[in-house]
Amino acid sequence: MEDKPKYQINADIVAQADQCNTCHRCLKDPTFDLCRIDYVAASGEVLFVSADQCRDCGYQIPFGEGLVCGCPVRKAIQKKYSI
């Protein structure tokens, strides 16, 4: 892994993601695939993510037949980079 973060996210937001099962690989590992977002709502506050991809995430919130992402870092990446 490289020393330079893949995405520049405020340290306070990263600290909020204390349930991260991957030790914030999304920020550090250029080969790490972010969870695919299927739909963005509420100006990026609600992210519906792909259930087949985000199986080991500690921030999944079941919603109907789908999942909502509760990760503060993933939300910040979406808002800042539209990814």
Side-chain angles (χ1 to χ4, degrees):
M1 283 190 249
E2 61 184 33
D3 293 329
K4 183 179 176 187
K6 186 174 178 180
Y7 301 104
Q8 300 292 323
I9 301 299
N10 184 298
D12 293 336
I13 294 172
V14 175
Q16 291 173 21
D18 58 355
Q19 296 176 32
C20 183
N21 293 336
T22 65
C23 300
H24 305 107
R25 273 184 62 203
C26 64
L27 297 176
K28 304 170 190 170
D29 184 352
T31 64
F32 186 79
D33 290 327
L34 291 172
C35 290
R36 186 182 75 244
I37 296 174
D38 293 331
Y39 185 74
V40 178
S43 300
E45 290 299 319
V46 179
L47 306 177
F48 292 89
V49 293
S50 174
D52 61 335
Q53 186 183 16
C54 302
R55 292 188 181 123
D56 297 324
C57 180
Y59 287 97
Q60 294 177 354
I61 302 165
F63 185 83
E65 293 185 23
L67 294 173
V68 172
C69 177
C71 177
V73 171
R74 184 65 181 98
K75 288 180 185 180
I77 291 171
Q78 173 59 33
K79 286 180 184 177
K80 186 171 183 178
Y81 297 97
S82 297
I83 295 174

